[in-house]
Amino acid sequence: MTESLLDVGVVDGTTTAAGLRPEKFNRHTFWCGQSGSGKTYALGVVLEELLLRTALPLVIIDPNADFVRLGEVRDGVDSSAGDALRARDIRVLRPAHQGTDALRARFSTMLPQSKAAIMRLDPIVDRLEYNAFLHLSDSAETLDASTLIGRLRSSDDPGQLAIAQRIENLGLLEWQIWAGEHPAASEIIAERPDATVLDIGGFAHPDESLSVVLAVLDDLWLRREERRPVLLVIDEAHNVSSPELSGTLGVAVRERIIQIAAEGRKYGIWMLLSTQRPSKVHPGVISQCDNLGLMKMSSPADLAELGDVFGFVPSELFARASTFEQGQALLAGGFAPTDGVVRMRARYTHEGGADVRVPLRGQAG
């Protein structure tokens, strides 16, 4: 393996090093495998290598807190790799934390259609409220409990009164994601740390997770003309890009991801999407991916779908996926020097999540 390749393991059945071309992460990547295949662990190997060998900033949308320990090196790891990873600027933003560690969004800087989506406003069904919302002044577009509700309720406009009622009924002012005087996640990402991990799984209300993701996606898209490369890693991508997502907010997030998949590449917004099944991700997203990482997949229908999308991969390689052991992966596409099966190496850093063990009789806890 040459020094320019990412060290991800060995060619299956050999001791020959296997690598990935880092420069080919300027194409979208689809990473999948059924539960228990080692998909998330192996993805962590790839992210470690990108941190070690490239200057490509990572933004990781992490619903299960699997990557919150990406900066914590395991005991016994080679000192050069360990020291290099410890030196990286890795920010972990989480719900309910304070100051710069909190995962927050700034409502006032979001796009009008995204604000409306958070408020579940449909431009046709809710045309009175939607139109009133569009005409609010900038100062009234901040979800500030001390000023906004009183201002809306004192208005003679029935649309604005209806907006006040909607905000109170949805409990938006009680959400913990609003930035206020603290930095928003999008503002931290704009500083381009080596990695920004967004732990979106701990919010009290599920719409808070979608809202902060939408705020981040909006900001990346609004800044696209800056052409500052970034790799947007979306773990459990079906949560935000499923064809079955409904409601104004879920649809808004999915449509932004579809837009980035179709147009983001030329602006340096590249995606790596990880999920258990291809059928759970909108086809408009998968069809834009040029790189494939496939771990164990037993479903013939899923393998057939992947074969249709990634037609350049030999069918006999797809056929092997149903027999893969944990940690085996088919790597194919532009980022793989040769399409083939790899046994992924051990992680340098800790996994944030792990399987829960079955308790045995006589064991405490």
Side-chain angles (χ1 to χ4, degrees):
M1 185 183 70
T2 67
E3 287 298 319
S4 62
L5 295 179
L6 308 182
D7 174 17
V8 296
V10 296
V11 176
D12 193 55
T14 77
T15 57
T16 303
L20 293 174
R21 294 187 178 111
E23 70 274 12
K24 293 301 182 179
F25 280 85
N26 67 347
R27 297 292 186 269
H28 303 316
T29 301
F30 190 65
W31 193 268
C32 62
Q34 67 189 41
S35 179
S37 65
K39 167 179 59 69
T40 302
Y41 184 96
L43 177 57
V45 171
V46 175
L47 300 184
E48 289 171 355
E49 286 295 311
L50 288 168
L51 284 169
L52 282 170
R53 303 177 192 272
T54 78
L56 177 61
L58 310 178
V59 174
I60 305 167
I61 296 175
D62 184 7
N64 296 324
D66 286 319
F67 299 104
V68 296
R69 302 182 70 188
L70 192 57
E72 299 178 30
V73 179
R74 294 174 179 270
D75 293 338
V77 169
D78 175 78
S79 60
S80 60
D83 291 346
L85 283 168
R86 291 186 190 96
R88 297 298 183 259
D89 183 7
I90 299 173
R91 317 276 184 93
V92 178
L93 309 183
R94 314 187 77 162
H97 281 220
Q98 300 300 315
T100 57
D101 292 329
L103 179 53
R104 301 180 185 273
R106 195 169 305 285
F107 187 80
S108 61
T109 60
M110 296 179 70
L111 293 170
Q113 59 266 38
S114 296
K115 297 174 185 177
I118 289 173
M119 297 175 66
R120 304 186 192 179
L121 283 168
D122 184 278
I124 303 303
V125 176
D126 308 304
R127 55 188 179 274
L128 177 66
E129 287 178 74
Y130 194 98
N131 187 264
F133 179 71
L134 289 179
H135 288 88
L136 285 176
S137 66
D138 290 342
S139 60
E141 290 183 5
T142 300
L143 289 180
D144 180 352
S146 65
T147 59
L148 180 58
I149 295 298
R151 180 171 184 170
L152 292 173
R153 284 195 173 280
S154 64
S155 173
D156 294 330
D157 183 346
Q160 292 196 20
L161 177 59
I163 291 172
Q165 294 170 337
R166 178 180 291 267
I167 290 172
E168 291 182 321
N169 291 346
L170 292 174
L172 297 182
L173 298 178
E174 283 72 52
W175 286 8
Q176 55 183 296
I177 65 169
W178 305 125
E181 62 189 24
H182 300 289
S186 57
E187 294 158 4
I188 294 171
I189 291 168
E191 299 172 6
R192 289 298 190 268
D194 294 307
T196 311
V197 181
L198 310 181
D199 176 11
I200 65 170
F203 289 111
H205 196 289
D207 279 359
E208 291 184 84
S209 298
L210 286 173
S211 297
V212 77
V213 170
L214 184 57
V216 167
L217 295 176
D218 269 1
D219 193 72
L220 287 173
W221 189 247
L222 287 169
R223 296 175 185 266
R224 65 190 182 279
E225 292 292 351
E226 297 175 5
R227 285 178 161 79
R228 300 169 64 202
V230 64
L231 182 66
L232 178 61
V233 181
I234 307 179
D235 194 27
E236 306 297 349
H238 51 273
N239 290 330
V240 292
S241 60
S242 168
E244 298 179 359
L245 276 174
S246 60
T248 56
L249 182 54
V251 170
V253 173
R254 183 187 64 208
E255 293 305 306
R256 179 65 76 202
I257 291 173
I258 292 172
Q259 184 178 37
I260 292 174
E263 305 176 45
R265 193 173 66 186
K266 63 186 176 184
Y267 297 110
I269 308 174
W270 307 314
M271 292 199 298
L272 192 165
L273 302 112
S274 177
T275 189
Q276 294 179 10
R277 301 184 63 186
S279 58
K280 297 173 75 172
V281 174
H282 195 282
V285 176
I286 300 179
S287 63
Q288 299 296 327
C289 294
D290 295 322
N291 300 320
L292 173 66
L294 172 62
M295 306 196 75
K296 184 173 183 178
M297 185 77 67
S298 299
S299 166
D302 288 334
L303 290 172
E305 182 176 349
L306 288 171
D308 289 339
V309 176
F310 299 95
F312 55 83
V313 181
S315 58
E316 57 268 22
L317 288 179
F318 277 123
R320 290 182 59 185
S322 63
T323 65
F324 282 172
E325 297 176 354
Q326 190 177 59
Q328 286 181 294
L330 166 59
L331 303 178
F335 73 171
T338 303
D339 295 348
V341 180
V342 169
R343 189 170 291 275
M344 304 294 290
R345 67 158 172 80
R347 288 275 297 270
Y348 296 148
T349 60
H350 290 277
E351 261 191 296
D355 289 342
V356 177
R357 295 182 182 275
V358 175
L360 301 178
R361 292 189 182 277
Q363 287 186 343

